[in-house]
Amino acid sequence: MSRRGLLALCLLFAACKRTAPAPVTPDAGAPSVSAVGAPATPGPGAGDAPVMSPGDATHRVQPLAVCRTDGAAPLDAARRYFDEGRLEEALSCAAQAAALEPDLAAAHAERGVALAALGREAEAQLAYARALAIDPGDPDALLGSAHLYAVQLPSSRERDELGALYAERGLSQRGTPPELVPHLALVAAMAFNDLGQAEEALARAAIVLAREPGSREALYERALALFELCRFDEARAAFSGLLDDPERAAHGHQHLGLLLERQGKWRAAQVHFDKARQLAPEDFPAPPLPSVEEFRAEVARAVAALPEDMRGDLDGVPVSAEELPADGDLLANQPPLSPTILGLFRGPPLGEPCDGSEEPCRSVVLYRRNLARAVRTTEELREQIRVTLLHEIGHLRGEDDEELAARGLE
Protein backbone atom coordinates (compact mmCIF):
# COMPACT_ATOMS: atom_id res chain seq x y z
CA MET A 1 0.00 0.00 0.00
CA SER A 2 3.03 2.27 0.02
CA ARG A 3 2.29 3.54 -3.50
CA ARG A 4 -1.18 4.72 -2.70
CA GLY A 5 -1.55 4.88 1.07
CA LEU A 6 -4.56 6.33 2.74
CA LEU A 7 -5.08 9.10 0.20
CA ALA A 8 -6.18 6.66 -2.48
CA LEU A 9 -8.53 5.00 -0.04
CA CYS A 10 -10.02 8.36 0.89
CA LEU A 11 -10.56 9.24 -2.76
CA LEU A 12 -12.26 5.93 -3.41
CA PHE A 13 -14.56 6.28 -0.44
CA ALA A 14 -15.33 9.92 -1.37
CA ALA A 15 -14.33 11.04 2.13
CA CYS A 16 -11.70 10.14 4.66
CA LYS A 17 -13.97 10.77 7.64
CA ARG A 18 -17.18 9.17 8.74
CA THR A 19 -20.28 11.08 7.79
CA ALA A 20 -22.13 10.03 10.93
CA PRO A 21 -21.95 12.48 13.85
CA ALA A 22 -18.96 11.79 16.06
CA PRO A 23 -19.59 10.71 19.65
CA VAL A 24 -19.51 13.40 22.29
CA THR A 25 -16.09 13.43 23.87
CA PRO A 26 -15.86 11.60 27.21
CA ASP A 27 -14.67 13.31 30.33
CA ALA A 28 -13.36 12.17 33.66
CA GLY A 29 -16.47 13.09 35.61
CA ALA A 30 -19.15 13.86 33.11
CA PRO A 31 -21.16 11.97 30.49
CA SER A 32 -20.23 11.29 26.96
CA VAL A 33 -23.46 10.14 25.39
CA SER A 34 -23.94 10.65 21.70
CA ALA A 35 -27.23 10.47 19.90
CA VAL A 36 -27.85 6.89 18.91
CA GLY A 37 -28.49 6.62 15.21
CA ALA A 38 -30.02 3.82 13.21
CA PRO A 39 -27.57 1.08 12.20
CA ALA A 40 -26.07 1.58 8.81
CA THR A 41 -27.68 -0.55 6.13
CA PRO A 42 -25.15 -1.97 3.69
CA GLY A 43 -25.85 -1.19 0.09
CA PRO A 44 -25.58 -3.62 -2.80
CA GLY A 45 -22.24 -5.38 -2.69
CA ALA A 46 -21.50 -4.37 0.90
CA GLY A 47 -20.59 -7.01 3.42
CA ASP A 48 -21.28 -10.67 2.80
CA ALA A 49 -23.31 -11.83 -0.15
CA PRO A 50 -27.01 -12.48 0.53
CA VAL A 51 -27.78 -15.94 1.88
CA MET A 52 -29.82 -17.92 -0.60
CA SER A 53 -31.75 -21.07 0.09
CA PRO A 54 -30.60 -24.15 -1.85
CA GLY A 55 -33.81 -24.17 -3.84
CA ASP A 56 -33.70 -20.49 -4.78
CA ALA A 57 -33.77 -20.49 -8.56
CA THR A 58 -32.44 -16.91 -8.68
CA HIS A 59 -29.16 -17.82 -6.99
CA ARG A 60 -26.19 -17.51 -9.29
CA VAL A 61 -22.56 -17.95 -8.38
CA GLN A 62 -20.59 -14.89 -9.44
CA PRO A 63 -16.97 -16.01 -9.72
CA LEU A 64 -14.19 -13.50 -9.96
CA ALA A 65 -12.81 -12.81 -13.39
CA VAL A 66 -9.59 -14.54 -14.39
CA CYS A 67 -6.60 -12.53 -13.21
CA ARG A 68 -4.77 -11.15 -16.22
CA THR A 69 -1.28 -10.42 -14.97
CA ASP A 70 0.30 -9.42 -18.29
CA GLY A 71 3.42 -11.25 -17.24
CA ALA A 72 3.65 -9.76 -13.77
CA ALA A 73 3.30 -11.57 -10.46
CA PRO A 74 -0.37 -11.70 -9.34
CA LEU A 75 0.31 -9.52 -6.31
CA ASP A 76 2.03 -6.87 -8.41
CA ALA A 77 -0.82 -7.00 -10.90
CA ALA A 78 -3.33 -6.55 -8.08
CA ARG A 79 -1.53 -3.45 -6.88
CA ARG A 80 -1.34 -2.03 -10.40
CA TYR A 81 -5.04 -2.59 -11.00
CA PHE A 82 -5.87 -0.95 -7.67
CA ASP A 83 -3.82 2.11 -8.54
CA GLU A 84 -5.76 2.32 -11.82
CA GLY A 85 -9.09 2.10 -9.98
CA ARG A 86 -9.93 -1.30 -11.49
CA LEU A 87 -11.06 -2.78 -8.21
CA GLU A 88 -12.65 -6.04 -9.38
CA GLU A 89 -9.51 -6.94 -11.31
CA ALA A 90 -7.39 -5.96 -8.30
CA LEU A 91 -9.45 -8.29 -6.13
CA SER A 92 -9.18 -11.13 -8.64
CA CYS A 93 -5.39 -10.90 -8.80
CA ALA A 94 -5.05 -10.51 -5.03
CA ALA A 95 -7.21 -13.62 -4.58
CA GLN A 96 -4.97 -15.52 -7.01
CA ALA A 97 -1.88 -14.36 -5.14
CA ALA A 98 -3.40 -15.57 -1.86
CA ALA A 99 -4.35 -18.89 -3.42
CA LEU A 100 -0.85 -19.47 -4.77
CA GLU A 101 0.82 -18.39 -1.51
CA PRO A 102 -1.72 -18.84 1.31
CA ASP A 103 0.88 -17.93 3.96
CA LEU A 104 1.78 -14.60 2.32
CA ALA A 105 0.38 -11.87 4.55
CA ALA A 106 0.78 -9.22 1.85
CA ALA A 107 -1.57 -11.11 -0.49
CA HIS A 108 -4.35 -11.26 2.11
CA ALA A 109 -3.76 -7.60 2.99
CA GLU A 110 -4.14 -6.71 -0.69
CA ARG A 111 -7.41 -8.65 -0.78
CA GLY A 112 -8.55 -6.64 2.21
CA VAL A 113 -7.67 -3.36 0.49
CA ALA A 114 -9.69 -4.26 -2.61
CA LEU A 115 -12.64 -5.64 -0.64
CA ALA A 116 -12.79 -2.55 1.58
CA ALA A 117 -12.68 -0.27 -1.45
CA LEU A 118 -15.56 -2.27 -2.97
CA GLY A 119 -17.61 -1.78 0.21
CA ARG A 120 -17.42 -5.45 1.17
CA GLU A 121 -16.40 -4.69 4.72
CA ALA A 122 -17.19 -8.05 6.33
CA GLU A 123 -14.97 -9.88 3.84
CA ALA A 124 -12.29 -7.23 4.23
CA GLN A 125 -12.27 -7.81 7.99
CA LEU A 126 -11.57 -11.50 7.44
CA ALA A 127 -8.85 -10.82 4.89
CA TYR A 128 -7.07 -8.39 7.21
CA ALA A 129 -7.51 -10.76 10.16
CA ARG A 130 -5.85 -13.55 8.19
CA ALA A 131 -2.99 -11.30 7.12
CA LEU A 132 -2.35 -10.24 10.71
CA ALA A 133 -2.64 -13.82 11.97
CA ILE A 134 0.19 -14.72 9.57
CA ASP A 135 2.23 -11.57 10.28
CA PRO A 136 1.03 -9.34 13.15
CA GLY A 137 3.37 -6.60 11.97
CA ASP A 138 2.39 -6.45 8.30
CA PRO A 139 2.21 -2.66 7.75
CA ASP A 140 -0.30 -2.76 4.89
CA ALA A 141 -2.67 -4.94 6.90
CA LEU A 142 -2.27 -2.69 9.95
CA LEU A 143 -3.02 0.45 7.96
CA GLY A 144 -5.92 -1.16 6.13
CA SER A 145 -7.43 -2.54 9.34
CA ALA A 146 -6.98 0.77 11.14
CA HIS A 147 -8.70 2.64 8.30
CA LEU A 148 -11.52 0.10 8.08
CA TYR A 149 -12.38 0.25 11.78
CA ALA A 150 -11.63 3.89 12.56
CA VAL A 151 -12.87 5.53 9.37
CA GLN A 152 -14.90 3.39 6.99
CA LEU A 153 -17.23 1.49 9.32
CA PRO A 154 -19.93 3.35 11.31
CA SER A 155 -18.49 4.87 14.45
CA SER A 156 -18.52 3.04 17.77
CA ARG A 157 -16.18 3.07 20.75
CA GLU A 158 -15.01 -0.49 20.14
CA ARG A 159 -14.25 0.14 16.47
CA ASP A 160 -12.41 3.36 17.23
CA GLU A 161 -10.38 1.62 19.93
CA LEU A 162 -9.51 -1.19 17.56
CA GLY A 163 -8.58 1.23 14.79
CA ALA A 164 -6.34 3.15 17.18
CA LEU A 165 -4.64 -0.05 18.33
CA TYR A 166 -3.84 -1.10 14.77
CA ALA A 167 -2.57 2.37 13.84
CA GLU A 168 -0.45 2.65 16.97
CA ARG A 169 1.07 -0.76 16.37
CA GLY A 170 2.05 0.32 12.88
CA LEU A 171 3.56 3.54 14.20
CA SER A 172 5.53 1.83 16.96
CA GLN A 173 7.28 -0.91 15.00
CA ARG A 174 10.62 -0.38 13.31
CA GLY A 175 9.72 -2.20 10.11
CA THR A 176 6.97 0.18 9.02
CA PRO A 177 7.93 1.93 5.76
CA PRO A 178 8.45 5.66 6.39
CA GLU A 179 5.92 6.61 3.70
CA LEU A 180 3.16 4.85 5.67
CA VAL A 181 3.85 6.76 8.90
CA PRO A 182 1.75 9.87 8.08
CA HIS A 183 -1.17 7.70 6.96
CA LEU A 184 -1.08 5.65 10.16
CA ALA A 185 -0.75 8.81 12.24
CA LEU A 186 -3.74 10.39 10.50
CA VAL A 187 -5.97 7.39 11.20
CA ALA A 188 -4.75 7.37 14.81
CA ALA A 189 -5.60 11.08 15.14
CA MET A 190 -9.11 10.43 13.82
CA ALA A 191 -9.66 7.51 16.18
CA PHE A 192 -8.30 9.36 19.21
CA ASN A 193 -10.48 12.40 18.50
CA ASP A 194 -13.55 10.18 18.23
CA LEU A 195 -12.57 8.53 21.51
CA GLY A 196 -12.19 11.89 23.25
CA GLN A 197 -8.42 11.50 23.69
CA ALA A 198 -7.57 14.92 22.32
CA GLU A 199 -3.99 15.12 23.57
CA GLU A 200 -3.12 11.91 21.72
CA ALA A 201 -5.00 13.13 18.63
CA LEU A 202 -3.07 16.41 18.65
CA ALA A 203 0.25 14.57 18.88
CA ARG A 204 -0.62 12.27 15.96
CA ALA A 205 -1.82 15.18 13.82
CA ALA A 206 1.54 16.84 14.47
CA ILE A 207 3.31 13.77 13.06
CA VAL A 208 1.31 14.12 9.84
CA LEU A 209 1.80 17.86 9.54
CA ALA A 210 5.55 17.59 10.11
CA ARG A 211 5.71 15.47 6.95
CA GLU A 212 2.75 16.88 5.00
CA PRO A 213 2.15 20.48 6.17
CA GLY A 214 -0.78 20.97 3.79
CA SER A 215 -2.78 17.90 4.83
CA ARG A 216 -6.32 19.22 5.25
CA GLU A 217 -7.40 16.10 7.12
CA ALA A 218 -4.59 16.54 9.63
CA LEU A 219 -5.33 20.26 9.96
CA TYR A 220 -8.95 19.42 10.73
CA GLU A 221 -8.00 16.81 13.33
CA ARG A 222 -5.62 19.33 14.89
CA ALA A 223 -8.34 21.98 15.03
CA LEU A 224 -10.78 19.54 16.62
CA ALA A 225 -8.23 18.45 19.22
CA LEU A 226 -7.45 22.08 20.11
CA PHE A 227 -11.16 22.76 20.61
CA GLU A 228 -11.57 19.68 22.80
CA LEU A 229 -8.55 20.75 24.88
CA CYS A 230 -10.19 24.16 25.44
CA ARG A 231 -7.39 25.96 23.61
CA PHE A 232 -10.05 28.19 22.13
CA ASP A 233 -7.97 30.94 20.51
CA GLU A 234 -5.87 28.39 18.66
CA ALA A 235 -8.96 26.42 17.69
CA ARG A 236 -10.63 29.56 16.32
CA ALA A 237 -7.65 30.27 14.06
CA ALA A 238 -7.43 26.64 12.98
CA PHE A 239 -11.11 26.34 12.03
CA SER A 240 -11.07 29.72 10.29
CA GLY A 241 -8.34 28.34 8.06
CA LEU A 242 -10.65 25.54 6.92
CA LEU A 243 -13.56 27.67 5.70
CA ASP A 244 -12.27 27.58 2.13
CA ASP A 245 -12.14 23.77 2.16
CA PRO A 246 -15.32 22.38 0.55
CA GLU A 247 -15.14 19.13 2.53
CA ARG A 248 -14.56 20.71 5.94
CA ALA A 249 -16.11 24.16 5.71
CA ALA A 250 -19.34 23.02 7.36
CA HIS A 251 -17.45 21.65 10.36
CA GLY A 252 -15.40 24.83 10.47
CA HIS A 253 -18.54 26.99 10.63
CA GLN A 254 -20.12 24.73 13.25
CA HIS A 255 -17.14 24.97 15.56
CA LEU A 256 -16.76 28.70 15.05
CA GLY A 257 -20.40 28.94 16.10
CA LEU A 258 -19.66 26.89 19.21
CA LEU A 259 -16.74 29.15 20.06
CA LEU A 260 -18.79 32.35 19.62
CA GLU A 261 -21.62 30.85 21.63
CA ARG A 262 -19.26 30.32 24.55
CA GLN A 263 -18.53 34.06 24.43
CA GLY A 264 -22.23 34.85 24.59
CA LYS A 265 -22.24 36.13 21.00
CA TRP A 266 -25.47 34.35 20.17
CA ARG A 267 -26.35 36.10 16.90
CA ALA A 268 -22.87 35.78 15.43
CA ALA A 269 -22.82 32.14 16.48
CA GLN A 270 -26.16 31.50 14.78
CA VAL A 271 -24.81 32.85 11.48
CA HIS A 272 -22.15 30.13 11.54
CA PHE A 273 -24.63 27.44 12.65
CA ASP A 274 -26.93 28.37 9.76
CA LYS A 275 -24.04 28.23 7.30
CA ALA A 276 -22.98 24.81 8.59
CA ARG A 277 -26.57 23.56 8.20
CA GLN A 278 -26.78 24.97 4.71
CA LEU A 279 -23.56 23.22 3.67
CA ALA A 280 -24.22 19.90 5.45
CA PRO A 281 -27.86 19.58 6.52
CA GLU A 282 -27.54 15.89 7.39
CA ASP A 283 -24.58 16.48 9.68
CA PHE A 284 -26.00 19.60 11.33
CA PRO A 285 -29.79 19.46 11.52
CA ALA A 286 -31.69 22.09 13.48
CA PRO A 287 -31.49 20.99 17.14
CA PRO A 288 -34.78 20.43 19.01
CA LEU A 289 -33.92 23.18 21.49
CA PRO A 290 -36.60 23.58 24.18
CA SER A 291 -37.06 26.79 26.11
CA VAL A 292 -35.23 27.14 29.41
CA GLU A 293 -38.45 26.45 31.31
CA GLU A 294 -39.32 23.43 29.16
CA PHE A 295 -35.85 21.99 29.59
CA ARG A 296 -35.97 22.36 33.36
CA ALA A 297 -39.34 20.64 33.38
CA GLU A 298 -37.95 17.74 31.33
CA VAL A 299 -35.03 17.37 33.75
CA ALA A 300 -37.42 17.40 36.70
CA ARG A 301 -39.56 14.71 35.06
CA ALA A 302 -36.47 12.57 34.43
CA VAL A 303 -35.46 12.84 38.09
CA ALA A 304 -38.96 11.95 39.25
CA ALA A 305 -38.99 8.86 37.02
CA LEU A 306 -35.77 7.43 38.49
CA PRO A 307 -35.87 4.25 40.57
CA GLU A 308 -36.31 4.81 44.28
CA ASP A 309 -32.71 3.93 45.17
CA MET A 310 -31.35 6.50 42.70
CA ARG A 311 -33.67 9.19 43.98
CA GLY A 312 -32.38 8.34 47.44
CA ASP A 313 -28.80 8.80 46.30
CA LEU A 314 -29.75 12.22 44.94
CA ASP A 315 -31.12 13.31 48.31
CA GLY A 316 -29.23 16.50 49.08
CA VAL A 317 -27.62 16.51 45.62
CA PRO A 318 -29.21 19.27 43.52
CA VAL A 319 -29.81 18.57 39.83
CA SER A 320 -29.77 21.78 37.82
CA ALA A 321 -29.94 22.89 34.19
CA GLU A 322 -27.42 25.23 32.57
CA GLU A 323 -26.83 26.48 29.03
CA LEU A 324 -23.19 25.46 28.53
CA PRO A 325 -20.27 24.23 30.63
CA ALA A 326 -18.33 27.01 32.33
CA ASP A 327 -14.62 27.41 31.66
CA GLY A 328 -13.88 26.79 35.31
CA ASP A 329 -15.56 23.39 35.23
CA LEU A 330 -13.84 22.39 31.99
CA LEU A 331 -10.38 23.48 33.13
CA ALA A 332 -10.65 21.94 36.59
CA ASN A 333 -9.51 18.64 35.08
CA GLN A 334 -6.29 17.82 33.26
CA PRO A 335 -6.68 17.26 30.44
CA PRO A 336 -9.68 19.60 30.32
CA LEU A 337 -13.20 18.33 29.87
CA SER A 338 -14.76 18.62 26.44
CA PRO A 339 -16.79 21.79 25.75
CA THR A 340 -19.49 19.48 24.35
CA ILE A 341 -20.14 17.46 27.52
CA LEU A 342 -23.82 16.82 28.12
CA GLY A 343 -23.68 16.93 31.88
CA LEU A 344 -21.36 17.06 34.86
CA PHE A 345 -21.14 15.61 38.34
CA ARG A 346 -19.34 17.91 40.73
CA GLY A 347 -17.86 16.72 44.01
CA PRO A 348 -16.63 13.47 45.58
CA PRO A 349 -18.55 10.20 45.18
CA LEU A 350 -20.90 9.03 47.87
CA GLY A 351 -18.99 7.62 50.82
CA GLU A 352 -16.05 9.98 50.40
CA PRO A 353 -15.78 13.04 52.63
CA CYS A 354 -16.40 16.54 51.31
CA ASP A 355 -13.64 19.08 51.64
CA GLY A 356 -15.98 21.61 53.18
CA SER A 357 -15.32 24.32 50.62
CA GLU A 358 -18.78 24.21 49.03
CA GLU A 359 -22.29 23.61 50.26
CA PRO A 360 -23.69 21.36 48.98
CA CYS A 361 -20.46 19.62 48.01
CA ARG A 362 -22.10 17.41 45.41
CA SER A 363 -24.25 18.46 42.49
CA VAL A 364 -25.33 17.40 39.01
CA VAL A 365 -25.84 19.73 36.07
CA LEU A 366 -27.24 19.06 32.59
CA TYR A 367 -26.46 21.35 29.65
CA ARG A 368 -29.42 22.43 27.52
CA ARG A 369 -27.64 23.45 24.33
CA ASN A 370 -25.21 20.54 24.20
CA LEU A 371 -27.96 18.02 24.85
CA ALA A 372 -30.16 19.48 22.12
CA ARG A 373 -27.30 19.28 19.62
CA ALA A 374 -26.65 15.62 20.48
CA VAL A 375 -30.07 14.53 19.18
CA ARG A 376 -32.47 15.11 16.31
CA THR A 377 -35.94 14.93 17.84
CA THR A 378 -37.74 15.90 21.03
CA GLU A 379 -38.24 12.22 21.86
CA GLU A 380 -34.52 11.58 21.52
CA LEU A 381 -33.84 14.58 23.74
CA ARG A 382 -35.98 13.13 26.54
CA GLU A 383 -34.13 9.83 26.27
CA GLN A 384 -30.76 11.58 26.19
CA ILE A 385 -31.63 13.52 29.35
CA ARG A 386 -32.53 10.23 31.05
CA VAL A 387 -29.33 8.48 29.98
CA THR A 388 -27.16 11.47 30.89
CA LEU A 389 -28.76 11.59 34.31
CA LEU A 390 -28.06 7.87 34.80
CA HIS A 391 -24.46 8.49 33.76
CA GLU A 392 -24.05 11.25 36.33
CA ILE A 393 -25.58 9.11 39.06
CA GLY A 394 -23.02 6.48 38.11
CA HIS A 395 -20.28 9.04 38.83
CA LEU A 396 -22.05 9.94 42.08
CA ARG A 397 -21.80 6.26 43.01
CA GLY A 398 -18.09 6.16 42.18
CA GLU A 399 -18.04 4.67 38.68
CA ASP A 400 -15.63 6.03 36.08
CA ASP A 401 -16.29 6.52 32.38
CA GLU A 402 -14.86 3.14 31.38
CA GLU A 403 -17.16 1.32 33.80
CA LEU A 404 -20.15 3.33 32.64
CA ALA A 405 -19.32 2.64 28.98
CA ALA A 406 -19.17 -1.08 29.75
CA ARG A 407 -22.72 -0.81 31.09
CA GLY A 408 -23.96 1.02 27.99
CA LEU A 409 -24.00 4.45 29.64
CA GLU A 410 -21.28 6.03 27.54
Side-chain angles (χ1 to χ4, degrees), residues 22-243:
V24 179
T25 307
D27 64 74
S32 171
V33 190
S34 61
V36 180
T41 303
D48 292 324
V51 177
M52 301 285 188
S53 64
D56 190 338
T58 65
H59 176 58
R60 294 289 186 274
V61 174
Q62 297 293 334
L64 292 171
V66 174
C67 170
R68 300 185 182 280
T69 64
D70 297 329
L75 184 55
D76 291 335
R79 290 168 170 165
R80 185 185 74 248
Y81 282 132
F82 189 96
D83 289 342
E84 295 172 356
R86 298 162 66 178
L87 301 180
E88 293 286 354
E89 290 144 297
L91 177 58
S92 176
C93 289
Q96 182 175 344
L100 292 172
E101 298 185 72
D103 293 331
L104 182 61
H108 296 288
E110 200 67 29
R111 282 186 64 241
V113 171
L115 288 164
L118 287 164
R120 294 163 62 173
E121 287 94 349
E123 295 169 87
Q125 286 175 288
L126 290 175
Y128 286 136
R130 185 162 180 177
L132 292 172
I134 296 167
D135 180 3
D138 184 88
D140 285 353
L142 289 171
L143 175 57
S145 297
H147 186 275
L148 180 65
Y149 285 104
V151 181
Q152 185 171 352
L153 290 169
S155 182
S156 74
R157 172 172 285 273
E158 287 186 310
R159 286 171 177 155
D160 289 327
E161 289 175 339
L162 193 53
L165 285 171
Y166 284 132
E168 289 293 286
R169 184 190 297 175
L171 287 171
S172 65
Q173 62 185 16
R174 293 182 179 179
T176 296
E179 63 268 25
L180 292 192
V181 169
H183 304 310
L184 288 161
L186 177 57
V187 176
M190 293 175 177
F192 283 133
N193 264 331
D194 282 350
L195 289 167
Q197 299 177 35
E199 288 186 322
E200 291 82 354
L202 188 61
R204 303 311 179 272
I207 293 174
V208 183
L209 292 169
R211 292 161 174 79
E212 302 175 7
S215 169
R216 287 304 183 105
E217 278 289 351
L219 288 169
Y220 171 75
E221 298 302 326
R222 176 180 178 273
L224 184 59
L226 290 170
F227 174 79
E228 293 295 320
L229 290 168
C230 301
R231 292 165 59 174
F232 296 134
D233 290 340
E234 294 171 86
R236 184 178 300 104
F239 280 115
S240 295
L242 295 171
L243 295 184

